[in-house]
Amino acid sequence: MEKIRMTDSTLGFIGLGLIGGSIARGIKRARPDIKIMAYMRSRNRLEQAKKDGVVDVILDGIDGNLRECDLIFLCTPVEYNASYLSSIRPYLKPGALITDVGSTKCGIHEEIIRQGLEDCFVGGHPMAGSEKTGYENSTDHLLENAYYIVTPPEGSAPSSAPEPSANARRIIAVAQTIGAIPLVLNYREHDKVVAAISHLPHLVASSLVNLVKDNDTAQGTMKQVAAGGFKDITRIASSSPEMWEQICMTNVGPIADILEKYIASLNQILAQVRGHCGDSIYQLFETSRDYRNSITDRAKGSVEPSYEFTVDVADEIGAISTISVILAAKGISIKNIGINNNRERGEGALKIAFYDESSMEAAWKRLDQYKYEMFRM
């Protein structure tokens, strides 16, 4: 896709949390000439954003200052974004555009249609996140190489259209400015896609964890040996219950559809296991392996990636502290470090997690210089 330069010079943010703050930071890094004004309930965070040079004007509410804005971002929780449309509407200047960053799109697009705002709205979904929330955890690179889904209001399939609309191109320009990968989708298709690759996995991970909890022995043996593969595949079950309740309740139809298909596939697997159908089970693992291996590692996905590897070390006094000192000497921050009790896939005895990919790669290079044997997760 061709590179599009942002022409909008004044931006407004309603909400400035992790995603809104990261978009604003990324824009300011690339285009410090762009004016940003913002409103959120937490005044002290806005004051910090202004001190950081991210926000130029602090808004006291939804008011006439928004008439300056060329582009207004709705960055509140997904179930609240649509509620701001009617209060923003009186302050829209001619040609102004509204966008949002919600992880489900049908709800706000239906409200846009109801209010007749199709000519001044394009939806957006930056597909990145963190286990941490709030402006204080936002970064100017959170969305780099992450997909930024752009959902035009007309609902036409963009892949068949020769050219995105002028308004869609404005949101594409935002994505490109902050280093994200824009992808234009029909908003209904978007909700089906995220139901399958984001919402269902969170439901499955959580239900699997609860299944083990409910069937564990009185001594807690399953929990004891769960470290390793089980904990890795259920990592997303540690996500915010409040956030995921809201997401699931705003995408009920697509989630229910894909959940029914998943239940049907589990029933098929159950029949194959009970019927000792070894060939079918082999094909299950073979096709899933091949398809998973074909998925690119170049772009971030909807599920926050983990940046970790294991190290082959002897269980002796000072092993952990030695590695910690080696990494600290180069200013490499460790998110978590500890013994990997379950090494069923041949991993090392020490598991180290990092906050980002650059730290992980720097640590790998550093420990390789000291001849440690390491294993990717």
Side-chain angles (χ1 to χ4, degrees):
M1 184 178 291
E2 65 171 306
K3 183 75 172 181
I4 304 173
R5 179 175 171 81
M6 282 187 66
T7 56
D8 296 310
S9 59
T10 302
L11 312 182
F13 283 79
I14 310 302
L16 200 71
L18 177 71
I19 299 299
S22 294
I23 293 173
R25 286 180 186 272
I27 289 172
K28 272 294 188 181
R29 180 186 66 176
R31 293 284 304 279
D33 58 303
I34 290 178
K35 182 179 180 180
I36 293 180
M37 52 181 65
Y39 165 73
M40 67 185 305
R41 293 181 179 179
S42 180
R43 179 81 182 193
N44 62 322
R45 288 177 176 170
L46 287 176
E47 296 286 357
Q48 183 60 51
K50 188 171 183 181
K51 183 179 179 181
D52 293 339
V54 175
V55 169
D56 301 293
V57 178
I58 294 176
L59 301 178
D60 295 322
I62 309 301
D63 57 31
N65 288 294
L66 291 176
R67 290 192 179 98
E68 296 183 40
C69 294
D70 304 301
L71 179 58
I72 298 174
F73 290 83
L74 297 176
C75 303
T76 65
V78 64
E79 73 275 20
Y80 298 133
N81 279 334
S83 65
Y84 281 99
L85 292 171
S86 57
S87 58
I88 291 173
R89 187 173 188 169
Y91 304 115
L92 289 178
K93 70 178 183 180
L97 184 65
I98 303 172
T99 188
D100 76 318
V101 299
S103 57
T104 58
K105 310 309 317 170
C106 283
I108 195 163
H109 274 275
E110 289 166 0
E111 183 63 20
I112 287 296
I113 293 170
R114 192 185 72 81
Q115 294 196 29
L117 293 171
E118 296 98 319
D119 292 337
C120 55
F121 178 83
V122 173
H125 177 198
M127 298 188 71
S130 169
E131 61 192 31
K132 298 181 179 180
T133 60
Y135 169 79
E136 61 273 19
N137 292 302
S138 63
T139 70
D140 62 9
H141 56 273
L142 178 69
L143 300 171
E144 285 183 349
N145 297 316
Y147 283 112
Y148 196 122
I149 310 299
V150 180
T151 59
E154 61 270 18
S156 60
S159 57
S160 62
E163 189 73 24
S165 67
N167 280 344
R169 287 171 63 85
R170 291 164 70 180
I171 307 304
I172 291 172
V174 170
Q176 293 178 334
T177 298
I178 61 178
I181 305 168
L183 178 63
V184 185
L185 290 179
N186 171 290
Y187 63 86
R188 294 185 182 89
E189 181 184 4
H190 166 276
D191 282 6
K192 291 180 181 178
V193 169
V194 295
I197 55 92
S198 177
H199 305 167
L200 178 64
H202 278 82
L203 288 169
V204 170
S206 296
S207 63
L208 184 56
V209 170
N210 285 339
L211 180 68
V212 169
K213 177 182 72 68
D214 294 340
N215 289 275
D216 204 352
T217 65
Q219 295 75 29
T221 307
M222 291 184 184
K223 181 179 180 181
Q224 180 180 348
V225 300
F230 179 84
K231 194 168 184 180
D232 288 341
I233 65 173
T234 58
R235 177 174 55 87
I236 54 178
S238 296
S239 302
S240 163
E242 295 82 5
M243 180 181 74
W244 278 98
E245 177 198 3
Q246 294 162 3
I247 290 173
C248 289
M249 292 301 97
T250 57
N251 201 26
V252 171
I255 290 175
D257 289 343
I258 196 68
L259 191 55
E260 285 183 348
K261 293 176 181 178
Y262 181 62
I263 292 170
S265 72
L266 288 178
N267 283 326
Q268 182 181 34
I269 294 169
L270 174 61
Q272 292 167 350
V273 170
R274 282 179 169 166
H276 296 270
C277 302
D279 290 345
S280 297
I281 297 302
Y282 176 88
Q283 186 177 19
L284 166 71
F285 288 117
E286 182 183 46
T287 55
S288 63
R289 177 202 63 191
D290 293 346
Y291 185 73
R292 186 182 186 279
N293 289 344
S294 72
I295 298 174
T296 180
D297 290 326
R298 294 182 180 179
K300 297 178 183 177
S302 60
V303 176
E304 183 195 4
S306 59
Y307 304 107
E308 55 193 25
F309 57 76
T310 61
V311 185
D312 188 20
V313 295
D315 184 9
E316 56 188 19
I317 296 175
I320 293 179
S321 60
T322 298
I323 288 179
S324 298
V325 169
I326 290 173
L327 299 181
K330 288 294 183 179
I332 300 171
S333 297
I334 296 174
K335 181 179 181 180
N336 195 15
I337 185 169
I339 299 300
N340 184 23
N341 299 105
N342 186 331
R343 299 189 285 278
E344 59 194 354
R345 294 177 298 181
E347 304 98 325
L350 190 65
K351 185 175 181 179
I352 313 176
F354 304 89
Y355 288 100
D356 51 50
E357 185 177 13
S358 61
S359 297
M360 179 184 70
E361 295 300 336
W364 182 283
K365 183 177 180 180
R366 178 71 169 163
L367 294 178
D368 186 56
Q369 294 174 347
Y370 282 80
K371 307 301 181 183
Y372 281 99
E373 185 176 7
M374 295 164 287
F375 306 85
R376 300 279 184 180
M377 301 296 293

